[in-house]
Amino acid sequence: MPRVTRNQLVLLDALLEERKASSTLQVEEHVLFENFAAEQALREHELSSDEIPDGNVGGGPDGGIDSIFVLLADELLLEEYEIFPDSTAPTDIPRDEIIELALGQANESEVFPEPALTPAQKHLEQLLDHTH
């Protein structure tokens, strides 16, 4: 995996400090970084600054996953979002709609160690196992 250069770290730190200074909310630095990482990873979806923190699940026993986003037809599905009403028939669902599951893991070190992904891998295997 490529290492982050010293110049890249300096620029990233300056950008995060600027964001922290301009934020109206008091947010811990690791949460600010996790939100920034999710925003960058999902920038093609143009999520708002209010939507990014909604996907943050980091901290405590998070299974190695810091953020989770589910998008249907490029629309973010929030926790309280009812995807389809109970009266929806399977034939009412368009076949060409894409559902996207975006999982994030942010790491503030200069390298991203492979063992950091191990807890997430175990949870993903269970989540995506359709044999049960």
Side-chain angles (χ1 to χ4, degrees), residues 37-59:
E39 178 186 323
Q40 295 307 303
L42 297 168
R43 66 180 166 264
E44 70 185 58
H45 297 289
E46 299 179 359
L47 301 180
S48 73
S49 58
D50 292 330
E51 292 172 320
I52 294 290
D54 288 340
N56 192 335
V57 295

Side-chain angles (χ1 to χ4, degrees), residues 37-92:
E39 178 186 323
Q40 295 307 303
L42 297 168
R43 66 180 166 264
E44 70 185 58
H45 297 289
E46 299 179 359
L47 301 180
S48 73
S49 58
D50 292 330
E51 292 172 320
I52 294 290
D54 288 340
N56 192 335
V57 295
D62 60 15
I65 299 171
D66 294 321
S67 58
I68 300 173
F69 297 89
V70 179
L71 299 108
L72 176 62
D74 210 35
E75 181 182 340
L76 179 65
L77 304 181
L78 300 173
E79 186 176 342
E80 66 275 359
Y81 190 91
E82 184 176 325
I83 299 175
F84 300 110
D86 292 339
S87 61
T88 304
T91 55
D92 295 339

